[in-house]
Amino acid sequence: MNRSSLILPILAILVALGFSSVFIVDEREKALVLQFGQVKAVKEEPGIGFKIPLIQEVVRYDGRILGLPTQPIEVTPLDDRRLVVDAFARWRIVDLVEFREAVGAGGIDAAQTRLQRIMSPAIREVLGGVPSIRVLSEDRTVLMNQIRDLARRQALALGVDVIDVRLTRTDLPEQNLSATYGRMRAEREREAADEIARGNEAAQRVRAAADRTVVEVTSEARKQAEVIRGEADALRNSIYAEAFGRDPEFFAFTRSLTSYERALQTGNSSIVMQPDSEFFQYLRSDQAPENGDAPAPAAAETPAAEAPATGAAAEPAEPAAPAIQ
C-alpha cells in the first residue's frame, strides 16, 4: 500500500519532467536554449525542441519583420534650411546568439532603443550632406537607401538586419513655416504678374493687328464704294442724256413731276409765285405749249430741290415771282 502510494507521485513527476523537457517553436518565432545564462542551443526552424528540465530555459524572439518608427529630429542640409524629419525602418533578427549578447534580457524593446540610437545619426549624416531640394524631390529614394545601408552596417553588431528605411515626413519647423510660405507666395505672385504682363502684351498685339485690319478693310470698301458710285453716276448721266436726246418733251415732263414731288411735301417752306408761272404749267393744262417747244422743267427754290446733273443743255430759269404771301 505504501509502495503504490509512492509510485504515483513519482510517475507524475516524471511525466511533468518529460513535458517540461519538450518545447514547440512556432513558425513566427525563433528560440534560444539557455543554461545558467549561457546559450546552449538555437532553434530557428519551427517544430519540437528539447531541453533539460529545471536547468535549461527557452527564450523566444519574434522571427518576423518588425517595424521601428523613429522620433522626429531636426536636420540641417547644406543650404542651412532646417527640416523636421522622421522615418520608419523595417528590421529582423538574423543572429540570435549575437542578438542575445547585445541586448541581454531586454529583448525586442532593448533592440528598438538601440536601433533608434543608430537611425538618428544615420539620418543626420546622410541628409546633412545634401541640399534640401534633394530631400524634398524624387532623389529622396536614393537618400533613403543610403540611410538604410549606413544603419545596416552598424546594426549588424546587434545581430539584426535593417531591411528598409522610409522617410515619412520632411517638413519645415513651425517657426520657419510662415516665412517660407511668405517667400513662396511672393514668388508665385511674381510669376503670376509676369504671366499677366505677357498676356496683356499679346492682347495689345492682337488688338493692334485687328484695328489695322479694320482700317484696311474699311478703306478698301470705301474705295470700291466710291468707284461703284462714280460708275453709277456716270451711267445715270448717260441715261439722262440719252433720254433727253430722244424725247425732250417727255424728259421735261418727268423732271417737272420730280420737282413737284420734292417741292410740295409736308413741312417744306411756303412758295409764293404767280399762278401762270411756268412751274405750274403741267398742273394747269395737259396740253402741249403753243409754241410747240418742250417746256423747261421747273426747279423748286427750296433746300430739298436738287438740280439733276445731265449732259444736256441748261434748262431755262423760271421767271421771278413776286414776294407776296
Side-chain angles (χ1 to χ4, degrees):
M1 187 68 179
N2 292 334
R3 184 177 297 176
S4 62
S5 62
L6 292 175
I7 293 176
L8 291 177
I10 293 173
L11 290 176
I13 292 173
L14 293 176
V15 171
L17 291 176
F19 278 110
S20 63
S21 65
V22 177
F23 63 93
I24 299 175
V25 178
D26 190 80
E27 63 271 6
R28 297 168 296 179
E29 297 177 335
K30 295 180 180 181
L32 288 176
V33 179
L34 303 179
Q35 181 176 336
F36 304 115
Q38 300 296 322
V39 178
K40 292 300 180 180
V42 178
K43 184 65 174 177
E44 296 184 350
E45 298 297 330
I48 299 175
F50 299 93
K51 66 182 180 65
I52 301 174
L54 303 179
I55 297 177
Q56 296 178 342
E57 63 175 338
V58 178
V59 180
R60 304 172 187 273
Y61 297 101
D62 198 330
R64 296 172 296 180
I65 297 176
L66 304 176
L68 172 65
T70 64
Q71 296 296 325
I73 59 175
E74 285 195 5
V75 178
T76 304
L78 289 178
D79 52 4
D80 295 331
R81 180 182 293 179
R82 292 191 302 168
L83 298 174
V84 177
V85 179
D86 57 9
F88 185 84
R90 293 181 176 88
W91 64 279
R92 65 181 174 184
I93 301 172
V94 294
D95 191 333
L96 282 177
V97 177
E98 193 170 6
F99 181 80
R100 176 70 183 187
E101 294 176 353
V103 302
I108 300 296
D109 293 336
Q112 295 271 38
T113 303
R114 296 282 296 274
L115 285 174
Q116 178 73 39
R117 297 173 184 171
I118 293 174
M119 290 296 302
S120 297
I123 294 173
R124 285 195 174 95
E125 180 178 348
V126 174
L127 300 187
V130 297
S132 60
I133 189 63
R134 289 195 60 190
V135 180
L136 302 175
S137 66
E138 297 179 355
D139 292 343
R140 62 190 300 171
T141 302
V142 178
L143 301 178
M144 290 186 292
N145 293 336
Q146 293 178 3
I147 296 172
R148 178 201 61 194
D149 297 339
L150 183 59
R152 175 181 291 170
R153 289 194 295 268
Q154 300 178 21
L156 287 177
L158 302 178
V160 302
D161 179 27
V162 178
I163 299 174
D164 191 19
V165 174
R166 294 294 169 182
L167 298 177
T168 55
R169 184 182 67 165
T170 52
D171 294 335
L172 296 171
E174 292 295 334
Q175 59 270 24
N176 295 345
L177 285 178
S178 299
T180 302
Y181 288 157
R183 289 195 299 269
M184 293 173 62
R185 186 180 299 109
E187 180 66 19
R188 298 300 180 270
E189 290 176 353
R190 184 188 64 79
E191 293 178 359
D194 292 343
E195 291 295 333
I196 292 173
R198 285 193 289 269
N200 291 334
E201 181 182 358
Q204 289 295 336
R205 289 197 298 267
V206 172
R207 292 192 189 99
D211 293 340
R212 183 174 63 252
T213 303
V214 169
V215 172
E216 293 175 353
V217 172
T218 305
S219 300
E220 182 65 21
R222 288 176 179 172
K223 174 183 176 182
Q224 295 179 4
E226 291 297 332
V227 171
I228 294 172
R229 189 177 293 111
E231 293 176 352
D233 290 343
L235 180 60
R236 181 193 61 183
N237 293 336
S238 63
I239 293 173
Y240 279 143
E242 183 180 358
F244 182 75
R246 289 183 179 181
D247 193 344
E249 181 180 356
F250 179 75
F251 180 77
F253 174 72
T254 56
R255 291 301 302 273
S256 297
L257 293 181
T258 303
S259 299
Y260 295 156
E261 181 182 2
R262 294 178 179 177
L264 302 178
Q265 291 181 354
T266 304
N268 282 357
S269 300
S270 301
I271 302 176
V272 180
M273 60 181 60
Q274 295 178 357
D276 56 352
S277 173
E278 293 182 2
F279 182 77
F280 296 108
Q281 179 176 356
Y282 290 101
L283 293 179
R284 293 196 311 268
S285 174
D286 56 352
Q287 297 178 356
E290 297 178 356
N291 55 6
D293 296 332
E301 298 179 359
T302 63
E306 296 179 1
T310 63
E315 300 175 358
E318 298 180 358
I324 59 174
Q325 186 172 0

